[in-house]
Amino acid sequence: MDFTRLTKEQRKSFDCDGFLVVANALSRQEVAGLTEITDNKARAFLDKHDVPSRAEYNQLDLRPGLLKYPATIDLVTKGTTVPLVAQLLSPNIHLHSTALIYKRPSDPDLPPMRRGWHRDIRIPRDLGHKNLPRVGIKVCYCLTDFHEKDSGLTLLARGSQELNGPLIIPEGKVDPQGIEICDLKLNAGDAFLFDNRIYHTASPNRSNRVSKVLMFGYAYRWMKQEVYLDNPDQKSLRRYDPVTRQLLGEYTDIDTPAWALQAWARKNKVNPEPVPWHVEA
Ligand SMILES: O=C(O)CCC(=O)C(=O)O
């Protein structure tokens, strides 16, 4: 995997905001190639008859079947983004989820739709909201421009990864108050990364074009991969390089060290300090 160093400013901004934009993560050719694949996967959705008055009918969140193509396998180790994830989490990660998010245009005059503000991976259901750890990062690749507000990009509540409780949404409203809601303005080919703890939600696409985003989520290897993630079987994995194999779940035993990404991190001098079990005092 090609190396990109996470700068101090990027780390600080990810720690503060809970998300980070990577401009030009994909080339135009990569966007075109991926869009051809994802349009095919979304064909039935794209061909449905228009229901602009029902924003919820216009959203596709398709998860399985996204790792069947050389271009999406290349994305698993994308050098502009995944090295940042490995430095923000650690080398001990794997691919945790994939999702294709398409939103067809909805009537721009519709009243605001009820949102689905949430934190990822459902950890608060077991641990509550207090002092949650960062255990996963989603990388979201824009396949269309997002130049106007309300054009279908995931909304992010800036800094909410640090919140020690649920979001407070005033009665009759759809968004929380007292916290900045970010509707990022991005180009096709840009990516944004977000922390599993940040509150985020889908929102309607009030533009006149379909919005398209491909999301690849990474998490520590002790987190079970999503069941629909169609990793290649062990035999098919052999054709890939060691880092791709690790990220696609080659080491099934969590006690096996993350050999491939640890070697990559050592080579690029970003291996984290070992954490001892005990020290002499
Ligand atoms: O559809 C969207 O924009 C939001 C996706 C989302 O909430 C998620 O991936 O957890």
Side-chain angles (χ1 to χ4, degrees), residues 59-61 63 97-103 116-121 138 140 152-155 192 194 198 200-203 211 213 215:
Q59 305 203 358
L60 173 74
D61 181 335
R63 299 189 172 221
S97 64
T98 54
L100 179 62
I101 309 278
Y102 271 36
K103 299 190 184 103
W117 285 103
H118 65 284
R119 293 179 137 155
D120 272 345
I121 326 187
K138 270 186 182 154
C140 312
L153 203 56
T154 309
L155 301 179
F192 62 102
F194 69 84
I198 194 173
H200 59 285
T201 181
S203 66
S211 68
V213 174
M215 295 188 180

Side-chain angles (χ1 to χ4, degrees), residues 246-263:
Q246 172 182 324
L247 291 173
L248 291 179
E250 179 181 36
Y251 317 134
T252 47
D253 175 0
I254 54 166
D255 286 332
T256 305
W259 297 119
L261 268 170
Q262 280 177 359

